[in-house]
């Protein structure tokens, strides 16, 4: 999915391993996430986890979803004429 791809890209841009992200989030927020399952599409991702990861990667959630739309244009909501 496009969401999975954006999350993978964000992590690659920071040059962090999945384990490093998981540990950082747990240490700062006390929340455990299964990033491997999320990034492979085998786990469900909630809006709160998307927000948490956007906060972690220091990216506005609006930019996150813009990147999602750029990957999968079917998700782009077109304005009525």
């Amino acid at each position: 999915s496009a969401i999975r791809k954006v999350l993978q890209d964000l992590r690659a841009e920071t040059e962090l391993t999945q384990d490093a992200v998981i540990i950082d989030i747990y240490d700062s927020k006390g929340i455990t996430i299964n990033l491997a399952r999320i990034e492979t599409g085998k786990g469900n991702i909630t809006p709160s986890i998307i927000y948490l990861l956007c906060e972690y990667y220091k990216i506005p959630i609006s930019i996150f979803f813009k990147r999602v739309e750029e990957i999968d244009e079917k998700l782009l909501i077109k304005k009525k004429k």
Side-chain angles (χ1 to χ4, degrees):
S1 79
I3 289 174
R4 175 182 54 83
K5 176 70 173 125
V6 172
L7 290 173
Q8 290 170 340
D9 290 349
L10 288 170
R11 189 172 54 76
E13 290 165 16
T14 60
E15 299 180 351
L16 293 170
T17 64
Q18 289 176 341
D19 286 341
V21 173
I22 291 166
I23 291 167
D24 286 348
I25 289 174
Y26 182 79
D27 287 348
S28 65
K29 302 288 185 181
I31 297 171
T32 302
I33 63 169
N34 192 330
L35 192 56
R37 290 187 59 81
I38 291 168
E39 286 188 0
T40 59
K42 295 179 181 166
N44 292 328
I45 186 163
T46 64
S48 59
I49 295 296
I50 292 173
Y51 180 83
L52 178 71
L53 289 167
C54 286
E55 185 178 50
Y56 177 78
Y57 292 121
K58 296 178 176 44
I59 179 174
I61 201 160
S62 59
I63 300 299
F64 175 85
F65 282 110
K66 182 170 180 51
R67 288 176 67 166
V68 168
E69 291 173 342
E70 289 169 356
I71 291 170
D72 188 348
E73 292 183 4
K74 293 181 295 197
L75 298 173
L76 183 61
I77 297 173
K78 295 179 175 52
K79 294 180 182 178
K80 292 183 180 181
K81 295 182 179 183

